[in-house]
Amino acid sequence: MLSEVEAFTASSLHEVEEFRVKLLGKKGDVTLLFDEFKHVSGDVKRELGQKINALKTAAQTRISELREALDAGNAPTLALDASRPGAADSIGTRHPVASVRNEILAIFRQLGFAVAEGPEIEDDWHVFGALNFPPEHPARDMQDTFFIEKRAGSDNPILLRTHTSSIQVRAMERQPPPIRIVCPGRVYRNEAISARAHCMFHQVEGLYVDQGVSFADLKQTLLYFAKEMFGASVQIRLRPSFFPFTEPSAELDVSCSICGGKGCNICKGTGWLEVGGCGMVDPSVLRSCSIDSQKYSGFAFGMGVERIAMLKYQARDLRLYFENDVRFLRQFFLVND
Ligand code: PHE
């Protein structure tokens, strides 16, 4: 009987339940054996008791094994039913920040931009100095920048990059124009964490340096990007702004994809959403990287990946993107690349 119990198999929970009742129910075989056991006397009692107990344990084990197998959607090992629908394994999903970053890079790749990366632990020169930040500029202040090491006798401390423009400096130092790159990466700023700000986030910045690059090229490139990213009916707007490394500089807005520009609570009634900064590379930046600023000109732009993800998915608390709560992340299953 023991071997029968161990070999028993079932193709439904119902069959398992029948099996349980047949053995362990009030009038089940094993229950009856226990009843009879009361009348057995003397020396056989001990041996028989052990056997009945072993049988009971075997039955319980087999029942829970079968239940588990059937619950998990797998056919029990001894009765493989090839006609059952397959149970898909959960393989996880791409993180929304990664999938938006990939989408941004794919759009610029269509325009011939290559992807360039660089170190997150940088020096002052690549993050600020070469980009025309004066020594006393507030962005260098401890309030914004995480300094790692101030090196004695050097005015080039080690720090966490605050923007991926440092990758562009490295590219310009490394190769002569034409340069056409997009630079994705994580950046750090010493800010209090809230729904709208974090001490770490992601950027994609772009750089194009060649002969005769103009502001019109910049505008068309950004318009192309916006249409690919947010749909053909989107409009862009460039608002005058200031960055030490671009002249002229502008803030890039796209028409609100939620209300179509009429004004809603996402765009705070303005019909426009800010997605990043841009401008013509300041000639002094080209000179810092040993590029002839008489011969070459360039444009640069930068945008926050989480900001675009927020506009796309309308999940408006930035912290959600870094908490790795699977209940949040699982929702991106269907929109994955
Ligand atoms: N580096 C800027 C920032 O992090 C963005 C930017 C890039 C602006 C290129 C203009 C040109 O805010």
Side-chain angles (χ1 to χ4, degrees):
M1 196 163 169
L2 185 64
S3 58
E4 266 169 54
V5 166
E6 281 168 348
F8 175 76
T9 186
S11 55
S12 68
L13 287 170
H14 180 69
E15 281 177 38
V16 179
E17 182 57 14
E18 277 179 357
F19 176 69
R20 189 192 67 78
V21 172
K22 183 172 169 296
L23 290 176
L24 306 174
K26 268 199 184 127
K27 291 185 181 150
D29 295 349
V30 178
T31 318
L32 293 178
L33 280 177
F34 273 116
D35 287 346
E36 279 174 39
F37 173 71
K38 286 182 199 141
H39 311 298
V40 175
S41 62
D43 36 0
V44 251
K45 196 160 190 168
R46 191 186 148 89
E47 202 187 326
L48 195 62
Q50 282 174 351
K51 280 195 174 150
I52 305 176
N53 267 324
L55 191 61
K56 186 180 174 188
T57 314
Q60 285 168 336
T61 311
R62 190 63 192 142
I63 288 166
S64 51
E65 276 171 7
L66 289 167
R67 276 191 185 145
E68 236 170 69
L70 288 163
D71 274 348
N74 302 319
T77 38
L78 292 174
L80 183 72
D81 177 359
S83 65
R84 282 173 63 86
D89 276 343
S90 165
I91 52 165
T93 66
R94 210 177 278 290
H95 193 281
V97 170
S99 87
V100 168
R101 178 204 57 204
N102 290 351
E103 215 177 308
I104 299 171
L105 296 180
I107 295 170
F108 285 106
R109 232 184 254 129
Q110 290 167 11
L111 295 172
F113 283 78
V115 175
E117 289 183 301
E120 290 176 25
I121 299 174
E122 261 292 5
D123 56 22
D124 187 281
W125 168 253
H126 290 95
V127 175
F128 298 124
L131 289 163
N132 209 25
F133 281 82
E136 71 288 357
H137 193 282
R140 288 184 158 174
D141 202 289
M142 292 295 270
Q143 310 235 316
D144 282 307
T145 308
F146 287 111
F147 284 94
I148 295 178
E149 191 189 344
K150 297 219 185 236
R151 291 179 292 181
S154 160
D155 55 0
N156 193 20
I158 303 294
L159 43 84
L160 292 179
R161 68 181 177 201
T162 57
H163 52 184
T164 51
S165 306
S166 52
I167 305 175
Q168 309 179 0
V169 174
R170 285 184 178 274
M172 289 189 281
E173 286 175 341
R174 200 172 44 230
Q175 67 178 96
I179 300 170
R180 192 154 39 179
I181 51 168
V182 265
C183 314
R186 199 176 285 150
V187 300
Y188 302 85
R189 290 183 195 177
N190 193 358
E191 295 195 34
I193 295 170
S194 72
R196 298 178 58 90
H198 210 284
C199 58
M200 181 275 290
F201 59 98
H202 298 79
Q203 284 188 324
V204 173
E205 297 208 359
L207 173 73
Y208 179 29
V209 182
D210 203 348
Q211 283 178 333
V213 176
S214 71
F215 201 88
D217 296 327
L218 170 63
K219 217 169 153 181
Q220 283 308 310
T221 305
L222 295 175
L223 181 61
Y224 178 83
F225 164 74
K227 283 184 188 291
E228 289 289 305
M229 192 76 204
F230 298 105
S233 58
V234 81
Q235 289 180 297
I236 64 165
R237 177 173 83 168
L238 294 175
R239 265 181 303 118
S241 184
F242 174 79
F243 298 103
F245 37 92
T246 46
E247 180 59 38
S249 305
E251 223 61 72
L252 168 65
D253 292 348
V254 296
S255 56
C256 179
S257 51
I258 317 294
C259 63
K262 283 191 216 81
C264 64
N265 65 338
I266 305 281
C267 60
K268 298 195 203 86
T270 63
W272 296 96
L273 298 161
E274 190 185 314
V275 296
C278 61
M280 298 306 291
V281 181
D282 194 303
S284 69
V285 172
L286 296 176
R287 284 195 293 274
S288 294
C289 302
S290 318
I291 291 176
D292 183 350
S293 62
Q294 297 291 321
K295 191 168 164 199
Y296 293 106
S297 58
F299 67 67
F301 56 85
M303 55 190 97
V305 178
E306 286 82 2
R307 172 129 201 111
I308 294 185
M310 278 168 140
L311 300 179
K312 212 173 141 89
Y313 302 127
Q314 291 173 43
R316 303 202 47 220
D317 190 327
L318 193 58
R319 289 166 293 196
L320 287 169
Y321 292 94
F322 305 120
E323 280 166 356
N324 281 336
D325 184 333
V326 287
R327 289 169 303 177
F328 175 68
L329 297 178
R330 242 189 234 133
Q331 298 175 50
F332 298 92
F333 186 64
L334 294 174
V335 291
N336 261 330
D337 47 333

